[in-house]
Amino acid sequence: MKKKILYMAFVAGLALMMTSCEDMFGHFLDKQPSNELTEELVFSSWTTTRDFHYDTYNFLRNGAGRINTSWMDAATDLAQTSYASGGVRTSFNIGNYYGSAGAPELTATWEHYYRGIRKCNMLLTHIDDVPKSADMSDELYATDKMNYTSEARFLRAYFYWELFLRYGAIPIVTEVLDPDGDLLTGYTTRPSTGEYIDFIINELQECESGLMSYSEGINSRNAGRISQPMARALYSRIMLYMASPRFASESGISWSDAAAAAKSFIDDYGANYSLFTVTETGGTNGVAAYTNAILRTTYEGNNTEVIFFRNDVQIQWAGIENDTPVGEGGRGGLCPSQNLVDMYDMANGSSPFTEYDETGAPVYNGGETPSVNAASGYSEASMWANRDPRLAASVLYQGVAWGNGVINVIRGQRDNPVGNANATPTGYYVRKYIPENILSAVHSGRSYRNWIIIRYPEILLNYAEALNEANGPSQEVYNSLNRIRSRAGVAGNVEDRSDLTSSKERMRNFIRKERTVELAFEDHRAWDVRRWNVAVQALSRPVYGIEVAANGSLSRKTVQRRVFEDKMYLYPIPETEGWKTSIANNPGW
């Protein structure tokens, strides 16, 4: 019989060889070159089995620049990639879903997650036959086996969920298939959406009790490993999605069900999590608190907001160069749109524009400028003044001191030099998820930038959205939103705004706007507009930007006219998979 070769990361003993603190946080954090072992050898000892299992965590993807150095949010109305080689710019944005530039997302996702699923299936198949190490107690052996089994079931469920978002309900494989084959031999029948989601939900519910507790999970040696709250948080997300307009009729899941799922997390785990409010100097500052909530870690920065994340070692200049302003020596990269900037409220809690649509965006009425709400104090001439502090924490705009200089996007100036093809096309650069301390001492700094998959504000937003859809505006809805806005430094209470409390529909649009700005650049927008059934409206509208004249005056402009058709709600199944398996492709492809 032909031997199957497994690729795995070995990490035993690395903690003793490394001196930096990130290398002390458990075996699964170290990303080392692979070695090869046969399947028989992997599962012949507890040590190699453990390392094989920890390596599965590498299949959790980091969203920062993962699509040929561009971000998924640059495939939405929130941003534009500055450089022409960015993966989404010549694929998603122009409707070319077979374009090679978008391959890491459009085609490689399929094999990536199915290979991760195969690793989970292997662990689940063999773990009961792996002998315990001589130095392990029976109790530790039983606990580790229970934890690893539950983690593998969680990871498999998560991988299937990520595949569902992109391809819909596809074959569920629970046995170990030939890695040199198509990974789907004998599995070409596509289940219904209900059957597929039932499998995922059942896995999450059954694995939760076998995962590490919250207190065990936050121990630095376990940082990043799956614990019980993560299973419940993912369950909340999936229930919300499946109650949404696109999926509700097939899933049978109601808004009340989704509200109950979010509430169960708040009731059972909410005491362990909170919105991060700590600044570097203490005191209250919405910009600093929101920035720290994204960049501070659970194990070093005492960040009790992040629930589920991909744990990585510290990064240096190379890790942010692609998305740093050109005046700082970067490539521009992820450039926020005026569309996103327009979604932020005023700091006094009012909306700068008079009307918002079902995508959460202000209504543009065929032009580039929404109708201004004069009572809010908003002015086009000083559009960034007195805005929700999350704007300043997420977007770099003209005149902001940042890094080793001041942002200047006037044509011919520091961040918009003549002839530089990477200069921002929107007039903005991204600040969120970019650790500024890396820029110190000639870009020699280091910082953590773990990729966040779920943080506590999402749970609060899930609850507010589901509860509003189930019952209409209520104090519980307002309270969830107020907590998020108050942490950011936005004044006032949602319940005091009669324009929002007057109807479920107005509150719906507001919640969608609030979700977008709170979770911007965290890989939510592309999936939210799809589950709301408003992707055509959101993703086919033009992306807007601004020009700053030499005298400082501002004018709006259209940056790119986007393409999005109904068939693009799902990706086409990769052609090679269709050839090998004859699996039915998605509608329209």
Side-chain angles (χ1 to χ4, degrees):
M1 178 182 294
K2 178 182 177 182
K3 288 187 177 180
K4 298 178 176 64
I5 301 299
L6 307 178
Y7 294 86
M8 55 181 294
F10 278 105
V11 293
L14 285 173
L16 299 176
M17 296 187 289
M18 302 293 184
T19 56
S20 56
C21 62
E22 68 266 26
D23 297 307
M24 303 299 288
F25 292 125
H27 298 280
F28 52 93
L29 287 178
D30 302 299
K31 311 299 187 291
Q32 298 298 316
S34 296
N35 294 302
E36 297 183 358
L37 282 181
T38 63
E39 181 174 335
E40 292 78 10
L41 285 175
V42 166
F43 297 108
S44 66
S45 82
W46 192 253
T47 299
T48 52
T49 298
R50 177 199 63 196
D51 293 344
F52 175 85
H53 170 59
Y54 286 164
D55 183 57
T56 308
Y57 279 83
N58 284 308
F59 285 85
L60 296 173
R61 299 195 293 185
N62 190 313
R66 67 176 167 80
I67 311 172
N68 278 337
T69 66
S70 62
W71 300 50
M72 191 64 190
D73 273 342
T76 74
D77 52 343
L78 303 191
Q80 172 84 344
T81 303
S82 66
Y83 40 85
S85 61
V88 303
R89 186 163 165 175
T90 56
S91 57
F92 286 94
N93 296 1
I94 61 173
N96 182 13
Y97 275 46
Y98 289 104
S100 60
E105 170 65 15
L106 288 162
T107 58
T109 297
W110 179 280
E111 182 168 346
H112 174 89
Y113 282 128
Y114 266 123
R115 288 197 176 274
I117 288 165
R118 184 177 188 275
K119 282 179 64 70
C120 295
N121 288 340
M122 290 184 72
L123 187 285
L124 293 169
T125 298
H126 294 294
I127 193 167
D128 283 337
D129 299 322
V130 180
K132 73 180 181 71
S133 297
D135 60 347
M136 292 181 74
S137 67
D138 290 341
E139 181 180 9
L140 178 59
Y141 175 64
T143 298
D144 280 357
K145 185 186 295 187
M146 178 180 66
N147 289 162
Y148 296 172
T149 298
S150 299
E151 289 169 35
R153 293 183 71 181
F154 174 96
L155 290 167
R156 184 173 65 180
Y158 176 73
F159 298 156
Y160 273 123
W161 171 246
E162 288 291 297
L163 284 166
F164 174 79
L165 291 177
R166 294 157 174 82
Y167 303 107
I170 53 180
I172 297 172
V173 181
T174 57
E175 64 178 333
V176 180
L177 301 183
D178 184 355
D180 297 323
D182 54 39
L183 298 181
L184 281 179
T185 300
Y187 289 87
T188 58
T189 302
R190 303 183 68 169
S192 69
T193 293
E195 292 169 335
Y196 191 95
I197 295 302
D198 283 348
F199 171 81
I200 295 175
I201 288 175
N202 183 66
E203 288 291 284
L204 293 176
Q205 291 178 324
E206 290 191 358
C207 80
E208 183 176 336
S209 63
L211 295 168
M212 292 184 296
S213 67
Y214 169 80
S215 59
E216 293 170 316
I218 61 168
N219 190 301
S220 61
R221 70 175 181 272
N222 293 322
R225 279 181 61 188
I226 307 302
S227 60
Q228 292 171 358
M230 299 179 191
R232 191 75 64 86
L234 181 57
Y235 171 71
S236 169
R237 175 185 290 183
I238 292 172
M239 293 293 284
L240 181 83
Y241 273 56
M242 302 319 294
S244 298
R246 182 163 179 80
F247 303 115
S249 62
E250 296 178 88
S251 71
I253 294 171
S254 68
W255 286 115
S256 294
D257 296 331
K263 187 64 161 55
S264 75
F265 184 96
I266 295 168
D267 290 345
D268 292 349
Y269 297 113
N272 302 128
Y273 294 95
S274 61
L275 302 184
F276 198 63
T277 58
V278 178
T279 67
E280 300 303 329
T281 58
T284 57
N285 179 299
V287 174
Y290 185 73
T291 300
N292 288 337
I294 303 302
L295 294 177
R296 295 277 281 269
T297 67
T298 59
Y299 48 83
E300 185 190 58
N302 194 32
N303 187 349
T304 57
E305 180 164 323
V306 175
I307 301 170
F308 177 26
F309 59 100
R310 177 191 158 98
N311 209 354
D312 287 301
V313 297
Q314 290 185 340
I315 61 171
Q316 296 176 280
W317 167 246
I320 63 170
E321 182 179 7
N322 283 328
D323 297 299
T324 301
V326 296
E328 190 64 40
R331 294 188 64 206
L334 180 69
C335 295
S337 65
Q338 186 64 42
N339 311 58
L340 172 61
V341 172
D342 287 341
M343 292 189 199
Y344 290 90
D345 273 354
M346 304 301 290
N348 63 16
S350 63
S351 294
F353 305 108
T354 58
E355 187 178 0
Y356 294 77
D357 66 19
E358 58 189 347
T359 74
V363 175
Y364 288 91
N365 292 315
E368 297 173 346
T369 307
S371 177
V372 173
N373 171 21
S376 70
Y378 173 84
S379 167
E380 277 282 289
S382 55
M383 62 172 61
W384 311 304
N386 302 315
R387 298 292 289 274
D388 178 339
R390 286 173 294 186
L391 172 59
S394 303
V395 178
L396 295 170
Y397 47 80
Q398 176 71 13
V400 172
W402 194 82
N404 297 298
V406 175
I407 300 298
N408 189 338
V409 295
I410 295 172
R411 182 169 172 77
Q413 298 302 309
R414 178 180 185 266
D415 294 298
N416 192 11
V418 176
N420 189 323
N422 294 334
T424 173
T426 65
Y428 299 103
Y429 290 100
V430 68
R431 177 174 181 178
K432 186 174 179 179
Y433 251 126
I434 309 296
E436 189 176 1
N437 61 313
I438 290 177
L439 306 179
S440 63
V442 197
H443 299 176
S444 64
R446 297 165 60 91
S447 179
Y448 288 107
R449 186 179 64 167
N450 295 332
W451 181 254
I452 298 169
I453 300 171
I454 302 177
R455 57 190 177 93
Y456 194 50
E458 179 188 340
I459 303 297
L460 297 176
L461 288 163
N462 293 352
Y463 187 52
E465 179 180 345
L467 204 59
N468 180 66
E469 295 293 345
N471 304 319
S474 68
Q475 192 61 51
E476 285 186 276
V477 173
Y478 309 147
N479 289 345
S480 292
L481 298 171
N482 286 337
R483 289 181 65 182
I484 295 169
R485 287 163 64 84
S486 177
R487 185 276 294 278
V490 179
N493 295 314
V494 174
E495 60 265 35
D496 295 332
R497 288 185 50 175
S498 58
D499 60 320
L500 303 179
T501 60
S502 59
S503 71
K504 177 191 295 187
E505 291 70 27
R506 285 182 173 273
M507 184 58 69
R508 171 189 299 143
N509 295 351
F510 178 78
I511 290 171
R512 291 178 178 183
K513 176 204 71 65
E514 192 65 25
R515 186 178 181 92
T516 301
V517 300
E518 175 66 27
L519 303 176
F521 309 134
E522 297 179 48
D523 224 352
H524 285 266
R525 181 68 171 172
W527 316 118
D528 279 336
V529 295
R530 283 173 166 85
R531 70 178 174 87
W532 294 329
N533 259 348
V534 298
V536 173
Q537 298 92 307
L539 305 184
S540 66
R541 66 163 59 103
V543 168
Y544 302 121
I546 52 103
E547 294 278 1
V548 182
N551 64 1
S553 63
L554 307 178
S555 59
R556 291 172 178 251
K557 64 178 181 180
T558 296
V559 173
Q560 186 182 39
R561 297 191 180 278
R562 297 281 181 85
V563 175
F564 191 91
E565 303 170 5
D566 281 333
K567 67 179 182 179
M568 297 170 187
Y569 269 91
L570 293 174
Y571 299 173
I573 290 175
E575 290 179 303
T576 54
E577 300 301 329
W579 296 335
K580 289 186 293 186
T581 66
S582 298
I583 188 172
N585 210 336
N586 285 320
W589 298 107

